[in-house]
């Protein structure tokens, strides 16, 4: 059973427990999230001078477009203001900054009409972030920068919360990916040859759930939730912000969503920064996840 909690005032401990149980939380736009979107829009306007960012794909050759994104995205990720905005957003939603660690925010693009769906604007096939070495206590945050509609949204496949999918996560190792593949994203324009964990059996995409919130709305969900990029047919590029958080008590005590089918190695745990002072998680704690990245899958060989 999956529920969507809308503008819930539940405290963070109870909320995390619900998220680890497969529930999704959606919040209306708030000052803190709108400020983040405003910042992202300013960067987009600078990156596409004289163009409407949502329609810029129709005015630029795809190679040029990929070049623009290849500059814009790292600039957004590493700008100190992005971190300040995330901390304000976490505090606003009741995440304790001294206990919650976050990773740097990504700006995602889903172009319309298959203009660019690989590399720097990768259209994600159905996946769980836990196939990519995310810990099971990871919470994903997703915020559209402009209004979205069903034809350019993010899709959840809630049936698979409790049903394993045969997948390629056994071949994914976080450290190798970072070493070999991540930095080559912008080179993949026509196709994407980077080896990623994918379903290895047909996935029933329906029933699926597309949560449509206004720009600055916030969607929180477990890293174990199966989700995908909706093929965009809206005529507008979708831009969104996402980042992830973990609560240190859950990291220490091994709480999180159940593992039903992930078999990757390594961990993204070393990436997170503490909300209060940007300090990383203690190395010995990260090492624990490096050795045993996740609870054993419930189904052997899945
Ligand atoms: Fe994802």
């Amino acid at each position: 059973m999956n529920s969507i909690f809308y503008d819930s005032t539940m405290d963070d401990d109870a909320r995390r427990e619900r998220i680890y149980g497969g529930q999704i939380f959606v919040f209306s736009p708030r000052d803190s999230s709108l400020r983040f979107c405003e910042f992202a829009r300013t960067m987009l306007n600078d990156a596409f001078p004289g163009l409407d960012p949502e329609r810029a794909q129709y005015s630029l050759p795809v190679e040029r477009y990929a070049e623009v994104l290849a500059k814009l995205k790292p600039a957004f990720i590493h700008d100190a203001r992005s971190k300040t905005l995330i901390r304000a957003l976490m505090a606003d939603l009741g995440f304790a900054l001294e206990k919650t660690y976050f990773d740097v925010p990504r700006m995602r693009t889903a172009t319309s009409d298959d203009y660019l769906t690989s590399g720097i604007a990768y259209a994600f096939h159905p996946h769980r972030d836990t196939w990519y070495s995310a810990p099971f206590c990871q919470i994903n945050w997703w915020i559209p920068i402009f209004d979205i509609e069903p034809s350019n949204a993010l899709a959840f496949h809630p049936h698979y919360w409790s049903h394993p999918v045969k997948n390629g996560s056994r071949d994914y190792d976080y450290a190798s990916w970072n070493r070999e593949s991540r930095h080559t994203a912008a080179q993949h324009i026509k196709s994407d040859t980077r080896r990623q964990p994918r379903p290895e059996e047909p996935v029933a995409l329906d029933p699926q759930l597309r949560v449509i919130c206004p720009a600055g709305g916030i969607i929180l969900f477990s890293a174990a939730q199966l989700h995908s990029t909706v093929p965009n047919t809206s005529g507008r590029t979708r831009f969104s912000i996402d980042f992830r958080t973990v609560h240190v008590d859950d990291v220490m005590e091994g709480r999180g969503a159940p593992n039903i089918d992930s078999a990757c190695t390594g961990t993204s745990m070393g990436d997170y920064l503490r909300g209060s002072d940007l300090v990383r998680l203690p190395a010995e704690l990260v090492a624990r996840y490096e050795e045993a990245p996740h609870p054993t899958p419930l189904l052997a060989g899945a």
Side-chain angles (χ1 to χ4, degrees), residues 6-279:
Y6 175 71
D7 280 343
S8 165
T9 54
M10 195 182 291
D11 72 50
D12 185 41
D13 288 346
R15 182 172 54 201
R16 295 198 319 281
E17 200 176 319
R18 294 284 192 174
I19 290 174
Y20 301 156
Q23 320 310 332
I24 294 170
F25 282 71
V26 182
F27 294 91
S28 302
R30 312 162 73 91
D31 281 353
S32 56
S33 60
L34 290 170
R35 274 201 300 277
F36 208 167
C37 291
E38 194 48 51
F39 169 64
R41 285 184 200 184
T42 306
M43 289 192 88
L44 280 163
N45 288 332
D46 292 347
F48 296 109
L51 296 172
D52 168 359
E54 289 181 283
R55 298 191 191 276
Q57 65 169 95
Y58 297 107
S59 307
L60 296 173
V62 68
E63 290 79 8
R64 173 71 195 128
Y65 193 87
E67 270 172 31
V68 171
L69 294 187
K71 260 199 195 157
L72 168 68
K73 292 193 172 188
F76 176 80
I77 289 172
H78 299 297
D79 195 301
R81 284 169 292 181
S82 292
K83 294 191 185 70
T84 306
L85 287 158
I86 285 186
R87 296 157 85 182
L89 185 51
M90 293 196 307
D92 187 17
L93 279 183
F95 285 72
L97 294 187
E98 66 285 358
K99 293 264 186 186
T100 311
Y101 291 65
F102 66 97
D103 72 349
V104 288
R106 309 299 199 289
M107 187 193 289
R108 309 277 180 193
T109 32
T111 62
S112 191
D113 309 306
D114 289 332
Y115 168 75
L116 176 61
T117 55
S118 50
I120 197 81
Y122 190 75
F124 271 94
H125 53 271
H127 70 280
R128 309 182 200 273
D129 283 22
T130 51
W131 293 352
Y132 291 77
S133 310
F136 282 80
C137 59
Q138 178 180 293
I139 295 175
N140 289 17
W141 296 59
W142 195 92
I143 301 167
I145 298 170
F146 300 96
D147 287 347
I148 51 170
E149 51 191 288
S151 55
N152 66 2
L154 165 78
F156 294 104
H157 308 284
H159 168 78
Y160 292 102
W161 178 260
S162 46
H163 292 82
V165 180
K166 192 169 177 332
N167 68 82
S169 61
R170 78 186 85 79
D171 297 325
Y172 186 86
D173 177 73
Y174 191 70
S176 326
W177 170 263
N178 275 332
R179 224 175 18 247
E180 292 152 22
S181 298
R182 174 171 274 170
H183 63 281
T184 67
Q187 298 160 18
H188 298 265
I189 290 174
K190 302 280 186 229
S191 65
D192 208 313
T193 53
R194 295 174 299 167
R195 196 153 172 212
Q196 301 201 31
R198 295 169 178 280
E200 293 179 340
E201 62 180 336
V203 168
L205 292 178
D206 289 305
Q208 61 175 262
L209 190 62
R210 302 179 181 187
V211 179
I212 310 305
C213 55
I218 304 151
I219 304 175
L220 303 181
F221 59 99
S222 163
Q225 197 76 250
L226 195 78
H227 58 287
S228 62
T229 308
V230 167
N232 186 346
T233 53
S234 68
R236 291 185 298 126
T237 304
R238 184 256 286 164
F239 293 96
S240 54
I241 297 168
D242 62 71
F243 61 94
R244 308 90 193 261
T245 57
V246 294
H247 191 287
V248 68
D249 292 353
D250 297 344
V251 174
M252 287 197 295
E253 286 155 37
R255 274 194 294 266
N259 178 18
I260 61 169
D261 60 13
S262 297
C264 44
T265 54
T267 180
S268 58
M269 199 70 94
D271 295 350
Y272 301 99
L273 308 171
R274 185 158 55 196
S276 50
D277 55 9
L278 305 183
V279 166

